[in-house]
Amino acid sequence: MAALPADDHGFRLQVRAWLEANFPHELRFPTRRLDFRRSMDWHRKLAAQGWVAPGWPREYGGMGLSAYQQVIFSEELDRAGIVVIPNFGITMLGPLLIRFGTEQQKAYYLPRILSGEDLWCQGYSEPGAGSDLASLRTSAELDGDHWVVNGQKIWTTMAQQATHIFLLVRTDRTVKKQRGISFLLVPMDSPGITVRPIDNIDGYSEFAEVFFDDVRVPRDAMVGEVNQGWSMAKALLGSERILLGSPKLAKFPLQRLEALAHTLGLFEDPVFRDRYVTLAMEVEDMVALYVRLLEVLRRGESLGEEVSVLKLAVTELFQRVTDLLLEAAGEYGATDAVLQLSDGSTLKPVNPYYLSRPATIYGGSSEVQRNILAKALLRLPG
Ligand SMILES: Cc1cc2nc3c(=O)[nH]c(=O)nc-3n(C[C@H](O)[C@H](O)[C@H](O)COP(=O)(O)OP(=O)(O)OC[C@H]3O[C@@H](n4cnc5c(N)ncnc54)[C@H](O)[C@@H]3O)c2cc1C
């Protein structure tokens, strides 16, 4: 990876210039986010530049960016209109392997995640095990040198395009439910796996059901010890929540709202202006909180339950921003219309609205975050 300027402003300008020169214009501000297939060429370009994994340490092929630089990097992606479904290998599995994987697992999997050769999906949720994830029933039983997996996962984002899935599986039914869970790595082309895509409200299938019928995986495909899966997954929940609580979720549609408002002349209206500025100030509050929490992670400390404040506040703010976006679009908000904006970009107002709806469900619903905060921070009875 080429050396990057140490000062934040220089770093920002260099990232901006490179994105400007390298991200294809026709893919900017897409009317729906780019899936694994549509973003693969872009992933390879980032990989060649050494810029796929901003938060990973450099020794594993990441950019080793400071917390604040990660925010800058993400802001510049937004500025350039780069909207891609998160790569779960980069955001979730990589950090888990770096922390808990064997040297062999790290050496094998991490470069394949970076190159885009392996595309991972996350197999945690099941029918009957979402908020109460520890009730999961998909099982893995040892048979000689193989684990044999049986059961079903659901809401698995991008299962239909992924090459691999990381799974939480039950390996012991006799102990407390959290203690009998393990973490397995499974190729999606293993015999016995069936993927059934689920259409979302937008008419696309971004997620799927995944069925496992006597699927055999080698014994060394387990990360960590048998029955240690829950504590490993939990150790990374903080980093998942901080990712899902990234203020870019709200900041990006706010920028689109601003472009729409300029196009329709809405800033002339003092009521609209007031509503817009209130949301913009809330977004900046979230950025400040986010940077503070990233700094905690950067110091190598774990995030406490306070990270739930971020996930809760940002996802609900995301919805309020897209509510106003839809309202501001007037009659176009209720149709499939793709608007041409005065800054040259296009916008389908209903898409950010749709995208914001499940944000208060995945990664721990708002109700669950409130329960956590009530118990851990406010010390209310459980
Ligand atoms: C767009 C999207 C993508 C997803 N991608 C993935 C993925 O890639 N991989 C994966 O494993 N999962 C994924 N999920 C699943 C997600 O993690 C679950 O939907 C989530 O954990 C909630 O579980 P559930 O859907 O079973 O709802 P439930 O847990 O059944 O909850 C239903 C309702 O009850 C409320 N509730 C539940 N328990 C409590 C309680 N104790 N107190 C108060 N209220 C409660 C919830 O807040 C919710 O309103 C995705 C979900 C969505 C929407």
Side-chain angles (χ1 to χ4, degrees):
M1 190 181 83
L4 288 162
D7 75 292
D8 291 339
H9 189 61
F11 170 72
R12 183 187 288 281
L13 292 184
Q14 184 159 331
V15 169
R16 185 175 297 177
W18 190 82
L19 294 178
E20 201 48 54
N22 287 280
F23 189 73
H25 273 268
E26 65 279 12
L27 294 180
R28 283 171 200 222
F29 298 104
T31 52
R32 74 183 163 94
R33 51 191 192 158
L34 305 180
D35 60 26
F36 286 175
R37 247 180 239 133
R38 288 176 74 211
S39 59
M40 192 30 73
D41 286 347
W42 172 237
H43 182 101
R44 290 205 191 95
K45 247 186 205 177
L46 278 176
Q49 178 75 356
W51 284 11
V52 166
W56 291 16
R58 278 183 162 227
E59 59 175 307
Y60 294 113
M63 292 173 83
L65 295 185
S66 74
Y68 189 59
Q69 283 177 323
Q70 286 180 54
V71 175
I72 294 176
F73 192 77
S74 153
E75 282 181 354
E76 290 305 315
L77 291 173
D78 286 351
R79 189 176 184 278
I82 303 172
V83 192
V84 177
I85 291 184
N87 179 315
F88 301 97
I90 302 292
T91 57
M92 300 186 77
L93 182 62
L96 185 124
L97 286 175
I98 288 170
R99 185 146 163 208
F100 300 106
T102 61
E103 288 312 313
Q104 226 172 354
Q105 286 169 335
K106 287 189 249 190
Y108 180 76
Y109 288 112
L110 297 179
R112 295 166 67 97
I113 293 174
L114 290 170
S115 69
E117 188 172 351
D118 291 350
L119 292 165
W120 287 86
C121 59
Q122 178 200 15
Y124 285 12
S125 306
E126 298 181 7
S131 301
D132 182 17
L133 185 58
S135 294
L136 62 90
R137 293 198 313 211
T138 295
S139 64
E141 283 173 22
L142 209 48
D143 177 23
D145 273 345
H146 286 80
W147 292 101
V148 181
V149 182
N150 279 289
Q152 181 197 346
K153 297 291 174 180
I154 194 167
W155 316 123
T156 319
T157 300
M158 284 288 96
Q160 52 276 62
Q161 292 184 8
T163 60
H164 291 71
I165 183 166
F166 51 92
L167 285 181
L168 286 178
V169 287
R170 183 149 308 281
T171 34
D172 191 342
R173 287 195 184 85
T174 62
V175 291
K176 195 178 158 218
K177 58 186 181 180
Q178 286 84 353
R179 297 231 174 95
I181 293 173
S182 303
F183 196 98
L184 268 189
L185 307 175
V186 183
M188 287 297 280
D189 60 3
S190 309
I193 294 186
T194 309
V195 176
R196 210 158 68 190
I198 306 171
D199 280 349
N200 63 19
I201 194 172
D202 203 6
Y204 299 109
S205 44
E206 279 192 355
F207 45 34
E209 293 175 286
V210 188
F211 298 87
F212 300 84
D213 188 10
D214 284 335
V215 175
R216 298 180 73 82
V217 282
R219 200 174 177 154
D220 64 3
M222 185 166 283
V223 185
E225 301 295 320
V226 181
N227 296 337
Q228 290 301 307
W230 185 255
S231 45
M232 289 189 315
K234 226 178 137 208
L236 285 177
L237 262 188
S239 11
E240 186 191 5
R241 285 206 177 126
I242 196 166
L243 186 84
L244 295 170
S246 164
K248 71 183 278 175
L249 276 181
K251 196 165 185 169
F252 187 72
L254 189 79
Q255 286 165 352
R256 308 303 291 141
L257 174 61
E258 185 185 346
L260 176 70
H262 281 304
T263 306
L264 301 178
L266 295 176
F267 283 120
E268 304 302 313
D269 172 0
V271 175
F272 175 83
R273 231 170 29 229
D274 183 57
R275 291 175 72 188
Y276 173 86
V277 168
T278 304
L279 290 173
M281 282 165 43
E282 285 188 54
V283 169
E284 288 313 313
D285 283 346
M286 290 302 119
V287 173
L289 177 60
Y290 183 68
V291 171
R292 200 176 68 76
L293 294 178
L294 277 181
E295 286 297 338
V296 174
L297 283 183
R298 196 174 61 87
R299 289 198 300 269
E301 296 164 20
S302 296
L303 290 172
E305 274 81 3
E306 75 272 15
V307 72
S308 287
V309 175
L310 189 74
K311 161 66 170 76
L312 177 65
V314 166
T315 51
E316 296 194 348
L317 181 58
F318 181 17
Q319 294 186 342
R320 277 182 287 127
V321 171
T322 59
D323 286 348
L324 184 57
L325 180 81
L326 205 62
E327 198 182 321
E331 68 266 34
Y332 304 112
T335 67
D336 235 13
V338 176
L339 303 179
Q340 191 69 47
L341 303 188
S342 53
D343 65 359
S345 67
T346 53
L347 172 71
K348 186 170 159 188
V350 78
N351 274 1
Y353 178 83
Y354 283 152
L355 209 55
S356 71
R357 296 302 110 180
T360 50
I361 302 173
Y362 56 66
S365 69
S366 283
E367 290 79 8
V368 168
Q369 308 299 341
R370 285 193 170 89
N371 283 350
I372 293 170
L373 293 169
K375 228 164 122 180
L377 297 188
L378 304 177
R379 310 269 174 233
L380 296 176

